[in-house]
Amino acid sequence: MKPYQIISDSSCDIPKSILDTLDIGIVPYYASFDTVNYHKELIDLTADEFYEKVKEQKVFPKTSLPPIQDYIDVFEPYLKEGKDILCICLTAKFSGSFQSANNAKNILLETYPDSRIEIMDSISVTGTQGLLVQEACRMRDAGFDLDKLISLLDELKNTSKINFTVDSLDFLQHGGRIGKAAAFAGTILNVKPIIVMKNGELSPEGKVRGHKKALKTVLDMTKKEIGDAKEDYHVCIIRAEKEKLPAAEELAADLKAEGFDVNDQIWTVGITIGTHAGPTAVGICYIKKYEKLLP
């Protein structure tokens, strides 16, 4: 079996301590606070630094997808080693990174015609994309060939979901996810939206009054959706700014107490979804374990 390298763009938000154990390549996204100077995620700017800047400068940041050359720069060293490539990208409904990676593939295949480069739309973002990448690494390490791995990933990505909430609706309004009237009402009435990410789409699921009730709603939704299949799913808890860590830890503790397989580390929402949801996001991500799809 020919060896292959798993690569993801930085929107997978896998914590560095986990990332260092996975042997994957990362193609960073970019963030800008002035639309002139752009900073590479993870290299020039960590997620926590990003949220600090958002609060200090009181601006709505912009993100920029990795250009074709960035994908080429990450792909080519592995091709020179004789490896094939699987690149798992942020949902194509959010960004053009999937197309950018495909363009890089087409350029590189002219030089490496005997190589195989597969580009996958994860239909996910942040924690669910990261969990999908982790499952890919687990299957690779278990000895799956690339065809079998891709086939299972195509099934797995449809089992993933994010349930989350935010304190402030400003970023969702700025990004066109909700209207100005709804954002204003949220400020006055302490309304917190319940938002879901599934099949590549970010959509409102409802709204409740108050932060604690919003967290409980997110928790109850997840428990109901997974039901008795607790051992069939990997779960991770995500938070944006540092101030949301206690709320995230509370969600993790509750799920662990009921027997859910929750990642020990709280994952930080990176700049890609953070730009849209803002610094106050906190929620739950889950995906089915690949073993549960095997005959």
Side-chain angles (χ1 to χ4, degrees):
M1 181 179 72
K2 188 176 180 181
Y4 55 89
Q5 181 67 38
I6 295 170
I7 294 169
S8 172
D9 44 43
S10 62
S11 58
C12 65
D13 292 344
I14 299 172
K16 187 177 186 304
S17 60
I18 299 174
L19 204 58
D20 290 344
T21 70
L22 295 181
D23 183 25
I24 64 171
I26 293 291
V27 184
Y29 263 75
Y30 292 77
S32 176
F33 299 91
D34 58 12
T35 69
V36 175
N37 299 297
Y38 281 83
H39 312 275
K40 272 190 176 183
E41 186 174 21
L42 303 179
I43 296 174
D44 303 326
L45 188 71
T46 67
D48 284 334
E49 289 168 345
F50 168 77
Y51 291 118
E52 287 299 320
K53 282 182 174 291
V54 168
K55 288 186 290 184
E56 287 171 6
Q57 300 183 19
K58 295 180 171 59
V59 295
F60 292 103
K62 300 286 186 182
T63 56
S64 177
L65 59 87
I68 296 169
Q69 187 61 49
D70 283 12
Y71 283 99
I72 291 174
D73 290 345
V74 174
F75 289 1
E76 191 164 25
Y78 297 115
L79 297 174
K80 287 180 177 178
E81 292 175 10
K83 291 182 177 180
D84 289 333
I85 286 173
L86 169 63
C87 182
I88 302 172
C89 293
L90 171 72
T91 172
K93 294 181 180 178
F94 266 35
S95 166
S97 63
F98 176 71
Q99 187 58 52
S100 193
N102 269 295
N103 290 339
K105 165 188 172 176
N106 293 333
I107 292 169
L108 285 167
L109 286 178
E110 294 180 7
T111 306
Y112 303 91
D114 297 327
S115 295
R116 181 178 178 187
I117 305 173
E118 298 288 345
I119 312 298
M120 175 175 285
D121 178 356
S122 70
I123 64 169
S124 301
V125 68
T126 190
T128 48
Q129 183 182 350
L131 290 173
L132 186 70
V133 171
Q134 276 195 294
E135 287 302 278
C137 292
R138 290 180 63 232
M139 286 187 277
R140 175 202 61 198
D141 296 344
F144 287 77
D145 64 30
L146 190 52
D147 286 324
K148 181 64 174 176
L149 185 143
I150 290 172
S151 175
L152 285 169
L153 286 182
D154 277 331
E155 291 186 65
L156 278 176
K157 66 186 185 182
N158 293 305
T159 70
S160 70
K161 192 182 181 200
I162 307 176
N163 298 323
F164 73 102
T165 186
V166 295
D167 285 351
S168 168
L169 299 168
D170 292 345
F171 284 78
L172 289 165
Q173 186 271 314
H174 183 78
R177 298 291 174 180
I178 62 171
K180 289 183 179 180
F184 179 74
T187 302
I188 299 300
L189 302 173
N190 194 27
V191 170
K192 311 300 179 190
I194 308 300
I195 308 161
V196 302
M197 173 75 188
K198 188 170 177 63
N199 297 326
E201 297 281 3
L202 191 67
S203 57
E205 188 77 3
K207 54 189 177 183
V208 297
R209 192 76 64 84
H211 179 64
K212 286 189 176 180
K213 190 170 182 182
L215 290 176
K216 185 177 186 307
T217 301
V218 165
L219 191 63
D220 290 344
M221 282 173 60
T222 304
K223 291 178 182 178
K224 183 177 179 180
E225 288 160 4
I226 294 179
D228 294 330
K230 298 173 186 175
E231 297 180 357
D232 293 359
Y233 288 84
H234 287 300
V235 180
C236 75
I237 310 301
I238 55 172
R239 58 88 176 171
E241 62 186 3
K242 291 178 181 177
E243 288 80 359
K244 290 302 171 191
L245 183 57
E249 289 175 334
E250 189 176 324
L251 289 176
D254 190 299
L255 289 170
K256 285 181 180 178
E258 294 201 18
F260 288 85
D261 186 0
V262 183
N263 194 285
D264 288 334
Q265 191 163 344
I266 305 298
W267 294 28
T268 305
V269 178
I271 65 173
T272 312
I273 194 70
T275 297
H276 295 281
T280 63
V282 60
I284 305 170
C285 307
Y286 63 82
I287 193 171
K288 189 168 279 191
K289 299 174 182 178
Y290 80 82
E291 292 92 342
K292 302 304 176 181
L293 299 182
L294 299 177

